[in-house]
Amino acid sequence: MNVMIPERGWLYLKKVADNPSGWIILCNLLDGLEQDLFGKEFAASLILCWMREYARQRREQNGKGVRAGQPLFKQRSREELLRDSFDAVCSASGNVVPCPEHPENGFLIHCQRTLHAQPPLENYTSITDARDFADERMHPAEKTERSGELWLIGLLDTSLVSWDSWRPANKTTVRLNPLGPAGRAATIGKPAKVLWITPETEVLRFIKQPSPADGLRDALGLRHLYNCQLLAMTLPKVAVESQAHGRPTVADAGSHMRHMAHSSSRSDGKVTPWGWTADLGKFANGVSNVDGLPERIVQPIPVASIPTVDVQALGSCGPERGLANGVDDNKTFAQMLCNKHGGTLAMMERVQEILA
């Protein structure tokens, strides 16, 4: 099956993607293609579905217009529409946005590269917002039974106690709620997305630091987490590897603006089963090697297969990173990625070759 975009479509893409969000997504797409995480047909299908969905969302937004001269809702910018449309295309089900060119399994977990770890891994870790975990994942009875325990009080109301006074030295085993939203069977990880994981051995070295939440937030490139309590979930090897899992691609990352499909330091071309995070702290300090920790993705794990989970409170992470400051914002990150492709013009020319 060949996917063709006419010249008019190419000019449309060039206009729409001419901003930091578009550059980041397209650079990560090129990096994935060059490392054989997917083929040219996959890349072209993803772009075509993305542009089709962008056009649909733009028409829908313009069609709502105004009533009696008053806006009905806040108009999204072109860049916001671009990100929203890409996220819609990268749905786990593949059914939210019909894509005739790639209808079978959607675009997620496409690179199921075999994992050979030496020594073999015992556990993986996933980092999450602690209060969301307590509200959405913990069994209600478990929350009630532990309501007087200092670690849970610290998670839910940090204004009462300082981190140093309630910092737990060890993990805590908690029961999970078997029911998710609307009474459906619960999963660890949102059903329509992927769960991001890293080897537990990589996480343990941060636990004894003065601020493990800040250290892990930055090392894992979790720009969307700030001014909140973080929690590390330990996921046993058997629970993870019983699900589809693989190396993340640009489709798995969606509109995440600090995804990095290629190491910032490796130049030997060796393809590994692990991806790399972009370390927010290194990036803010202007160093050339911003590689963070190894990462993979896995399908959401049914709570039925893992009714309890070990959690480690990490404390609170600080303010949002990467604002429009010219130091570590989206434009600066996009330029870093584009420079590897010879600049934005050369990058867009390479994209045009994919669509030819």
Side-chain angles (χ1 to χ4, degrees):
M1 176 183 65
N2 293 320
V3 178
M4 302 291 290
I5 291 186
E7 180 65 19
R8 186 177 65 179
W10 158 246
L11 294 175
Y12 176 66
L13 168 63
K14 188 174 181 180
K15 178 181 178 181
V16 169
D18 188 20
N19 57 68
S21 293
W23 298 340
I24 290 170
I25 290 171
L26 291 174
C27 281
N28 279 314
L29 183 140
L30 290 178
D31 285 334
L33 184 62
E34 291 173 0
Q35 294 176 92
D36 199 29
L37 305 187
F38 44 77
K40 181 177 178 180
E41 183 179 292
F42 178 93
S45 295
L46 181 57
I47 293 173
L48 182 59
C49 292
W50 177 25
M51 289 299 99
R52 184 185 294 134
E53 174 61 12
Y54 172 86
R56 187 196 68 79
Q57 289 198 23
R58 189 182 66 167
R59 288 193 304 269
E60 182 182 75
Q61 175 167 290
N62 292 341
K64 290 182 179 179
V66 296
R67 179 177 298 168
Q70 298 296 320
L72 297 179
F73 60 95
K74 181 180 180 295
Q75 292 282 311
R76 289 173 292 169
S77 68
R78 187 170 70 181
E79 193 164 354
E80 289 171 330
L81 278 170
L82 192 75
R83 294 195 297 264
D84 290 348
S85 58
F86 193 69
D87 285 338
V89 166
C90 297
S91 114
S93 66
N95 295 323
V96 172
V97 177
C99 184
E101 295 80 17
H102 201 83
E104 59 278 6
N105 297 312
F107 291 102
L108 300 186
I109 319 184
H110 182 79
C111 180
Q112 295 184 24
R113 196 174 296 277
T114 303
L115 177 61
H116 297 293
Q118 294 296 333
L121 295 173
E122 294 184 3
N123 295 315
Y124 298 88
T125 299
S126 184
I127 307 299
T128 188
D129 183 301
R131 295 186 189 182
D132 286 349
F133 176 87
D135 291 341
E136 301 172 8
R137 299 285 178 257
M138 282 185 68
H139 196 291
E142 182 84 346
K143 288 175 64 176
T144 300
E145 292 168 10
R146 293 182 176 275
S147 60
E149 296 183 15
L150 197 57
W151 74 273
L152 186 57
I153 295 173
L155 287 185
L156 300 180
D157 193 350
T158 55
S159 64
L160 297 179
V161 287
S162 68
W163 166 237
D164 288 336
S165 68
W166 69 269
R167 177 176 183 150
N170 302 307
K171 301 177 186 176
T172 301
T173 301
V174 298
R175 282 178 293 163
L176 299 175
N177 190 344
L179 297 179
R184 294 188 293 268
T187 57
I188 301 174
K190 295 183 179 179
K193 298 185 178 181
V194 293
L195 182 64
W196 295 78
I197 55 176
T198 198
E200 185 181 45
T201 50
E202 297 283 349
V203 172
L204 293 178
R205 58 191 174 94
F206 289 87
I207 299 300
K208 294 184 179 181
Q209 292 183 359
S211 180
D214 277 331
L216 278 166
R217 185 274 305 270
D218 285 1
L220 290 168
L222 303 176
R223 180 173 172 263
H224 61 288
L225 295 177
Y226 54 93
N227 295 330
C228 64
Q229 294 287 323
L230 298 186
L231 198 73
M233 294 184 290
T234 298
L235 304 173
K237 172 186 174 76
V238 64
V240 169
E241 298 185 5
S242 64
Q243 303 294 111
H245 58 95
R247 177 171 168 170
T249 73
V250 63
D252 300 303
S255 65
H256 177 41
M257 290 291 100
R258 292 299 177 271
H259 178 60
M260 190 169 64
H262 194 289
S263 165
S264 67
S265 62
R266 296 184 66 115
S267 59
D268 56 12
K270 183 178 180 181
V271 178
T272 76
W274 291 92
W276 294 266
T277 64
D279 189 303
L280 304 180
K282 291 180 180 178
F283 182 51
N285 289 329
V287 300
S288 58
N289 175 11
V290 299
D291 288 357
L293 302 183
E295 64 178 354
R296 279 174 72 85
I297 42 105
V298 62
Q299 280 182 326
I301 301 171
V303 168
S305 69
I306 179 172
T308 65
V309 69
D310 289 343
V311 299
Q312 176 78 55
L314 302 172
S316 179
C317 59
E320 183 177 7
R321 280 195 179 272
L323 300 176
N325 55 14
V327 176
D328 62 341
D329 57 16
N330 289 347
K331 183 176 180 180
T332 307
F333 189 73
Q335 289 173 337
M336 183 191 77
L337 297 184
C338 288
N339 288 342
K340 298 178 184 178
H341 296 279
T344 56
L345 180 60
M347 180 268 294
M348 292 301 287
E349 289 175 349
R350 179 71 185 97
V351 173
Q352 186 175 22
E353 294 174 4
I354 294 173
L355 302 175

mmCIF file of all heavy atoms in Angstrom, residues 176-214:
data_model
loop_
_atom_site.group_PDB
_atom_site.id
_atom_site.type_symbol
_atom_site.label_atom_id
_atom_site.label_comp_id
_atom_site.label_asym_id
_atom_site.label_seq_id
_atom_site.Cartn_x
_atom_site.Cartn_y
_atom_site.Cartn_z
ATOM 1 N N LEU A 176 -5.228 -2.293 45.255
ATOM 2 C CA LEU A 176 -5.733 -1.457 44.179
ATOM 3 C C LEU A 176 -7.235 -1.650 44.019
ATOM 4 O O LEU A 176 -7.767 -2.723 44.301
ATOM 5 C CB LEU A 176 -5.025 -1.795 42.866
ATOM 6 C CG LEU A 176 -3.509 -1.593 42.858
ATOM 7 C CD1 LEU A 176 -2.927 -2.071 41.536
ATOM 8 C CD2 LEU A 176 -3.153 -0.133 43.100
ATOM 9 N N ASN A 177 -7.897 -0.613 43.553
ATOM 10 C CA ASN A 177 -9.327 -0.685 43.283
ATOM 11 C C ASN A 177 -9.548 -1.490 42.002
ATOM 12 O O ASN A 177 -9.021 -1.126 40.954
ATOM 13 C CB ASN A 177 -9.884 0.727 43.108
ATOM 14 C CG ASN A 177 -11.394 0.752 43.070
ATOM 15 O OD1 ASN A 177 -12.045 -0.274 42.883
ATOM 16 N ND2 ASN A 177 -11.969 1.937 43.238
ATOM 17 N N PRO A 178 -10.291 -2.596 42.051
ATOM 18 C CA PRO A 178 -10.491 -3.402 40.839
ATOM 19 C C PRO A 178 -11.392 -2.741 39.810
ATOM 20 O O PRO A 178 -11.455 -3.192 38.665
ATOM 21 C CB PRO A 178 -11.124 -4.686 41.374
ATOM 22 C CG PRO A 178 -11.827 -4.260 42.628
ATOM 23 C CD PRO A 178 -10.966 -3.180 43.220
ATOM 24 N N LEU A 179 -12.079 -1.658 40.222
ATOM 25 C CA LEU A 179 -12.990 -0.978 39.315
ATOM 26 C C LEU A 179 -12.434 0.387 38.914
ATOM 27 O O LEU A 179 -11.949 1.148 39.753
ATOM 28 C CB LEU A 179 -14.369 -0.792 39.951
ATOM 29 C CG LEU A 179 -15.124 -2.077 40.294
ATOM 30 C CD1 LEU A 179 -16.462 -1.748 40.932
ATOM 31 C CD2 LEU A 179 -15.319 -2.943 39.059
ATOM 32 N N GLY A 180 -12.537 0.680 37.635
ATOM 33 C CA GLY A 180 -12.111 1.969 37.123
ATOM 34 C C GLY A 180 -13.308 2.856 36.849
ATOM 35 O O GLY A 180 -14.406 2.616 37.357
ATOM 36 N N PRO A 181 -13.124 3.897 36.017
ATOM 37 C CA PRO A 181 -14.234 4.801 35.677
ATOM 38 C C PRO A 181 -15.418 4.047 35.075
ATOM 39 O O PRO A 181 -15.241 3.081 34.334
ATOM 40 C CB PRO A 181 -13.600 5.747 34.648
ATOM 41 C CG PRO A 181 -12.139 5.710 34.960
ATOM 42 C CD PRO A 181 -11.861 4.308 35.406
ATOM 43 N N ALA A 182 -16.620 4.470 35.417
ATOM 44 C CA ALA A 182 -17.864 3.892 34.898
ATOM 45 C C ALA A 182 -17.998 2.407 35.233
ATOM 46 O O ALA A 182 -18.718 1.680 34.560
ATOM 47 C CB ALA A 182 -17.966 4.099 33.385
ATOM 48 N N GLY A 183 -17.305 1.968 36.281
ATOM 49 C CA GLY A 183 -17.447 0.588 36.719
ATOM 50 C C GLY A 183 -16.721 -0.437 35.872
ATOM 51 O O GLY A 183 -16.903 -1.639 36.068
ATOM 52 N N ARG A 184 -15.875 0.018 34.949
ATOM 53 C CA ARG A 184 -15.123 -0.929 34.122
ATOM 54 C C ARG A 184 -13.954 -1.504 34.902
ATOM 55 O O ARG A 184 -13.504 -0.935 35.900
ATOM 56 C CB ARG A 184 -14.613 -0.228 32.862
ATOM 57 C CG ARG A 184 -15.718 0.214 31.901
ATOM 58 C CD ARG A 184 -15.122 0.727 30.604
ATOM 59 N NE ARG A 184 -14.381 1.951 30.810
ATOM 60 C CZ ARG A 184 -14.897 3.159 30.690
ATOM 61 N NH1 ARG A 184 -16.189 3.304 30.387
ATOM 62 N NH2 ARG A 184 -14.159 4.235 30.890
ATOM 63 N N ALA A 185 -13.450 -2.637 34.444
ATOM 64 C CA ALA A 185 -12.293 -3.248 35.090
ATOM 65 C C ALA A 185 -11.117 -2.283 35.046
ATOM 66 O O ALA A 185 -10.801 -1.712 33.999
ATOM 67 C CB ALA A 185 -11.937 -4.563 34.397
ATOM 68 N N ALA A 186 -10.487 -2.085 36.187
ATOM 69 C CA ALA A 186 -9.423 -1.086 36.298
ATOM 70 C C ALA A 186 -8.118 -1.586 35.707
ATOM 71 O O ALA A 186 -7.850 -2.791 35.642
ATOM 72 C CB ALA A 186 -9.225 -0.705 37.755
ATOM 73 N N THR A 187 -7.300 -0.635 35.292
ATOM 74 C CA THR A 187 -5.952 -0.937 34.810
ATOM 75 C C THR A 187 -4.970 0.024 35.465
ATOM 76 O O THR A 187 -5.330 1.131 35.874
ATOM 77 C CB THR A 187 -5.833 -0.781 33.279
ATOM 78 O OG1 THR A 187 -6.216 0.561 32.922
ATOM 79 C CG2 THR A 187 -6.700 -1.774 32.556
ATOM 80 N N ILE A 188 -3.721 -0.409 35.571
ATOM 81 C CA ILE A 188 -2.631 0.486 35.957
ATOM 82 C C ILE A 188 -2.169 1.160 34.679
ATOM 83 O O ILE A 188 -1.645 0.521 33.777
ATOM 84 C CB ILE A 188 -1.474 -0.293 36.610
ATOM 85 C CG1 ILE A 188 -1.969 -1.035 37.845
ATOM 86 C CG2 ILE A 188 -0.335 0.653 36.978
ATOM 87 C CD1 ILE A 188 -0.921 -1.937 38.466
ATOM 88 N N GLY A 189 -2.384 2.444 34.590
ATOM 89 C CA GLY A 189 -2.189 3.147 33.335
ATOM 90 C C GLY A 189 -3.543 3.408 32.692
ATOM 91 O O GLY A 189 -4.462 2.593 32.806
ATOM 92 N N LYS A 190 -3.701 4.530 32.031
ATOM 93 C CA LYS A 190 -4.972 4.880 31.422
ATOM 94 C C LYS A 190 -5.253 3.982 30.223
ATOM 95 O O LYS A 190 -4.378 3.773 29.379
ATOM 96 C CB LYS A 190 -4.959 6.354 31.005
ATOM 97 C CG LYS A 190 -4.862 7.296 32.197
ATOM 98 C CD LYS A 190 -4.918 8.746 31.789
ATOM 99 C CE LYS A 190 -4.845 9.655 33.016
ATOM 100 N NZ LYS A 190 -4.873 11.085 32.646
ATOM 101 N N PRO A 191 -6.479 3.449 30.122
ATOM 102 C CA PRO A 191 -6.798 2.452 29.086
ATOM 103 C C PRO A 191 -6.503 2.897 27.662
ATOM 104 O O PRO A 191 -6.127 2.097 26.830
ATOM 105 C CB PRO A 191 -8.301 2.218 29.298
ATOM 106 C CG PRO A 191 -8.539 2.561 30.729
ATOM 107 C CD PRO A 191 -7.605 3.686 31.040
ATOM 108 N N ALA A 192 -6.672 4.173 27.340
ATOM 109 C CA ALA A 192 -6.489 4.629 25.962
ATOM 110 C C ALA A 192 -5.057 5.055 25.665
ATOM 111 O O ALA A 192 -4.783 5.565 24.588
ATOM 112 C CB ALA A 192 -7.434 5.785 25.658
ATOM 113 N N LYS A 193 -4.153 4.828 26.619
ATOM 114 C CA LYS A 193 -2.780 5.267 26.424
ATOM 115 C C LYS A 193 -1.811 4.134 26.735
ATOM 116 O O LYS A 193 -2.210 2.992 26.888
ATOM 117 C CB LYS A 193 -2.493 6.494 27.297
ATOM 118 C CG LYS A 193 -3.362 7.692 26.944
ATOM 119 C CD LYS A 193 -2.967 8.923 27.743
ATOM 120 C CE LYS A 193 -3.818 10.123 27.352
ATOM 121 N NZ LYS A 193 -3.427 11.351 28.102
ATOM 122 N N VAL A 194 -0.532 4.476 26.803
ATOM 123 C CA VAL A 194 0.476 3.492 27.182
ATOM 124 C C VAL A 194 1.042 3.871 28.539
ATOM 125 O O VAL A 194 0.954 5.026 28.973
ATOM 126 C CB VAL A 194 1.611 3.404 26.139
ATOM 127 C CG1 VAL A 194 1.099 2.833 24.830
ATOM 128 C CG2 VAL A 194 2.281 4.765 25.918
ATOM 129 N N LEU A 195 1.627 2.897 29.209
ATOM 130 C CA LEU A 195 2.244 3.100 30.515
ATOM 131 C C LEU A 195 3.757 3.171 30.307
ATOM 132 O O LEU A 195 4.341 2.295 29.669
ATOM 133 C CB LEU A 195 1.876 1.940 31.447
ATOM 134 C CG LEU A 195 2.384 1.978 32.882
ATOM 135 C CD1 LEU A 195 1.773 3.164 33.632
ATOM 136 C CD2 LEU A 195 2.041 0.678 33.600
ATOM 137 N N TRP A 196 4.377 4.216 30.831
ATOM 138 C CA TRP A 196 5.816 4.429 30.651
ATOM 139 C C TRP A 196 6.560 3.823 31.829
ATOM 140 O O TRP A 196 6.208 4.049 32.986
ATOM 141 C CB TRP A 196 6.117 5.927 30.530
ATOM 142 C CG TRP A 196 5.507 6.517 29.295
ATOM 143 C CD1 TRP A 196 4.201 6.861 29.104
ATOM 144 C CD2 TRP A 196 6.177 6.783 28.060
ATOM 145 N NE1 TRP A 196 4.024 7.338 27.829
ATOM 146 C CE2 TRP A 196 5.207 7.316 27.163
ATOM 147 C CE3 TRP A 196 7.493 6.647 27.628
ATOM 148 C CZ2 TRP A 196 5.523 7.693 25.868
ATOM 149 C CZ3 TRP A 196 7.818 7.035 26.334
ATOM 150 C CH2 TRP A 196 6.838 7.543 25.469
ATOM 151 N N ILE A 197 7.604 3.064 31.532
ATOM 152 C CA ILE A 197 8.327 2.337 32.567
ATOM 153 C C ILE A 197 9.834 2.502 32.385
ATOM 154 O O ILE A 197 10.318 2.782 31.285
ATOM 155 C CB ILE A 197 7.985 0.828 32.540
ATOM 156 C CG1 ILE A 197 8.244 0.237 31.145
ATOM 157 C CG2 ILE A 197 6.533 0.597 32.973
ATOM 158 C CD1 ILE A 197 8.023 -1.270 31.062
ATOM 159 N N THR A 198 10.552 2.321 33.486
ATOM 160 C CA THR A 198 12.012 2.332 33.470
ATOM 161 C C THR A 198 12.484 1.264 34.449
ATOM 162 O O THR A 198 11.724 0.871 35.357
ATOM 163 C CB THR A 198 12.537 3.732 33.860
ATOM 164 O OG1 THR A 198 13.897 3.885 33.453
ATOM 165 C CG2 THR A 198 12.422 3.972 35.349
ATOM 166 N N PRO A 199 13.692 0.727 34.300
ATOM 167 C CA PRO A 199 14.162 -0.298 35.243
ATOM 168 C C PRO A 199 14.188 0.236 36.675
ATOM 169 O O PRO A 199 14.625 1.372 36.918
ATOM 170 C CB PRO A 199 15.580 -0.608 34.744
ATOM 171 C CG PRO A 199 15.583 -0.216 33.306
ATOM 172 C CD PRO A 199 14.670 0.966 33.213
ATOM 173 N N GLU A 200 13.744 -0.567 37.605
ATOM 174 C CA GLU A 200 13.729 -0.124 39.000
ATOM 175 C C GLU A 200 15.128 0.218 39.490
ATOM 176 O O GLU A 200 15.312 1.126 40.303
ATOM 177 C CB GLU A 200 13.105 -1.199 39.898
ATOM 178 C CG GLU A 200 12.945 -0.739 41.344
ATOM 179 C CD GLU A 200 12.355 -1.796 42.242
ATOM 180 O OE1 GLU A 200 12.799 -2.962 42.151
ATOM 181 O OE2 GLU A 200 11.460 -1.463 43.041
ATOM 182 N N THR A 201 16.129 -0.487 38.976
ATOM 183 C CA THR A 201 17.503 -0.217 39.401
ATOM 184 C C THR A 201 17.918 1.218 39.087
ATOM 185 O O THR A 201 18.742 1.801 39.795
ATOM 186 C CB THR A 201 18.469 -1.185 38.708
ATOM 187 O OG1 THR A 201 18.217 -1.185 37.286
ATOM 188 C CG2 THR A 201 18.278 -2.608 39.234
ATOM 189 N N GLU A 202 17.361 1.795 38.019
ATOM 190 C CA GLU A 202 17.689 3.176 37.664
ATOM 191 C C GLU A 202 17.044 4.167 38.628
ATOM 192 O O GLU A 202 17.561 5.265 38.852
ATOM 193 C CB GLU A 202 17.207 3.481 36.235
ATOM 194 C CG GLU A 202 17.874 2.657 35.158
ATOM 195 C CD GLU A 202 19.274 3.155 34.843
ATOM 196 O OE1 GLU A 202 19.637 4.258 35.303
ATOM 197 O OE2 GLU A 202 20.011 2.444 34.135
ATOM 198 N N VAL A 203 15.923 3.783 39.191
ATOM 199 C CA VAL A 203 15.163 4.679 40.074
ATOM 200 C C VAL A 203 15.719 4.674 41.493
ATOM 201 O O VAL A 203 15.734 5.714 42.177
ATOM 202 C CB VAL A 203 13.671 4.277 40.076
ATOM 203 C CG1 VAL A 203 12.885 5.062 41.124
ATOM 204 C CG2 VAL A 203 13.066 4.486 38.697
ATOM 205 N N LEU A 204 16.217 3.531 41.943
ATOM 206 C CA LEU A 204 16.621 3.385 43.342
ATOM 207 C C LEU A 204 17.703 4.378 43.750
ATOM 208 O O LEU A 204 17.745 4.826 44.900
ATOM 209 C CB LEU A 204 17.103 1.949 43.597
ATOM 210 C CG LEU A 204 16.029 0.861 43.501
ATOM 211 C CD1 LEU A 204 16.640 -0.515 43.712
ATOM 212 C CD2 LEU A 204 14.920 1.114 44.521
ATOM 213 N N ARG A 205 18.574 4.753 42.809
ATOM 214 C CA ARG A 205 19.662 5.666 43.175
ATOM 215 C C ARG A 205 19.162 7.078 43.468
ATOM 216 O O ARG A 205 19.895 7.895 44.026
ATOM 217 C CB ARG A 205 20.734 5.683 42.089
ATOM 218 C CG ARG A 205 20.262 6.086 40.704
ATOM 219 C CD ARG A 205 21.362 5.796 39.678
ATOM 220 N NE ARG A 205 20.940 6.018 38.307
ATOM 221 C CZ ARG A 205 21.124 7.153 37.654
ATOM 222 N NH1 ARG A 205 21.712 8.183 38.283
ATOM 223 N NH2 ARG A 205 20.734 7.287 36.406
ATOM 224 N N PHE A 206 17.921 7.379 43.116
ATOM 225 C CA PHE A 206 17.363 8.695 43.408
ATOM 226 C C PHE A 206 16.657 8.748 44.761
ATOM 227 O O PHE A 206 16.431 9.830 45.304
ATOM 228 C CB PHE A 206 16.353 9.106 42.328
ATOM 229 C CG PHE A 206 16.964 9.436 41.004
ATOM 230 C CD1 PHE A 206 17.208 8.441 40.065
ATOM 231 C CD2 PHE A 206 17.299 10.739 40.686
ATOM 232 C CE1 PHE A 206 17.763 8.741 38.834
ATOM 233 C CE2 PHE A 206 17.859 11.054 39.459
ATOM 234 C CZ PHE A 206 18.094 10.044 38.532
ATOM 235 N N ILE A 207 16.282 7.574 45.287
ATOM 236 C CA ILE A 207 15.407 7.525 46.460
ATOM 237 C C ILE A 207 16.015 8.220 47.677
ATOM 238 O O ILE A 207 15.311 8.885 48.444
ATOM 239 C CB ILE A 207 15.044 6.074 46.799
ATOM 240 C CG1 ILE A 207 14.291 5.421 45.636
ATOM 241 C CG2 ILE A 207 14.210 5.998 48.077
ATOM 242 C CD1 ILE A 207 12.991 6.109 45.275
ATOM 243 N N LYS A 208 17.327 8.097 47.868
ATOM 244 C CA LYS A 208 17.953 8.663 49.065
ATOM 245 C C LYS A 208 18.414 10.101 48.874
ATOM 246 O O LYS A 208 19.000 10.700 49.783
ATOM 247 C CB LYS A 208 19.126 7.786 49.505
ATOM 248 C CG LYS A 208 18.690 6.408 49.984
ATOM 249 C CD LYS A 208 19.860 5.596 50.492
ATOM 250 C CE LYS A 208 19.392 4.229 50.983
ATOM 251 N NZ LYS A 208 20.524 3.411 51.509
ATOM 252 N N GLN A 209 18.150 10.676 47.718
ATOM 253 C CA GLN A 209 18.511 12.063 47.496
ATOM 254 C C GLN A 209 17.608 12.989 48.322
ATOM 255 O O GLN A 209 16.506 12.598 48.711
ATOM 256 C CB GLN A 209 18.393 12.413 46.014
ATOM 257 C CG GLN A 209 19.415 11.722 45.132
ATOM 258 C CD GLN A 209 19.300 12.149 43.676
ATOM 259 O OE1 GLN A 209 18.448 12.952 43.307
ATOM 260 N NE2 GLN A 209 20.180 11.602 42.844
ATOM 261 N N PRO A 210 18.048 14.224 48.577
ATOM 262 C CA PRO A 210 17.217 15.148 49.370
ATOM 263 C C PRO A 210 15.841 15.393 48.759
ATOM 264 O O PRO A 210 14.864 15.570 49.475
ATOM 265 C CB PRO A 210 18.054 16.435 49.383
ATOM 266 C CG PRO A 210 19.465 15.966 49.198
ATOM 267 C CD PRO A 210 19.374 14.780 48.282
ATOM 268 N N SER A 211 15.773 15.421 47.417
ATOM 269 C CA SER A 211 14.483 15.651 46.751
ATOM 270 C C SER A 211 14.326 14.648 45.605
ATOM 271 O O SER A 211 14.558 14.985 44.444
ATOM 272 C CB SER A 211 14.403 17.083 46.222
ATOM 273 O OG SER A 211 13.165 17.303 45.579
ATOM 274 N N PRO A 212 13.938 13.410 45.928
ATOM 275 C CA PRO A 212 13.815 12.400 44.871
ATOM 276 C C PRO A 212 12.763 12.743 43.826
ATOM 277 O O PRO A 212 12.903 12.363 42.658
ATOM 278 C CB PRO A 212 13.442 11.118 45.630
ATOM 279 C CG PRO A 212 12.932 11.584 46.961
ATOM 280 C CD PRO A 212 13.659 12.847 47.256
ATOM 281 N N ALA A 213 11.721 13.474 44.209
ATOM 282 C CA ALA A 213 10.680 13.835 43.236
ATOM 283 C C ALA A 213 11.260 14.724 42.143
ATOM 284 O O ALA A 213 11.033 14.504 40.955
ATOM 285 C CB ALA A 213 9.518 14.532 43.930
ATOM 286 N N ASP A 214 12.022 15.741 42.534
ATOM 287 C CA ASP A 214 12.639 16.627 41.543
ATOM 288 C C ASP A 214 13.638 15.872 40.678
ATOM 289 O O ASP A 214 13.679 16.044 39.459
ATOM 290 C CB ASP A 214 13.342 17.794 42.233
ATOM 291 C CG ASP A 214 12.386 18.921 42.588
ATOM 292 O OD1 ASP A 214 11.381 19.092 41.875
ATOM 293 O OD2 ASP A 214 12.643 19.623 43.581
#
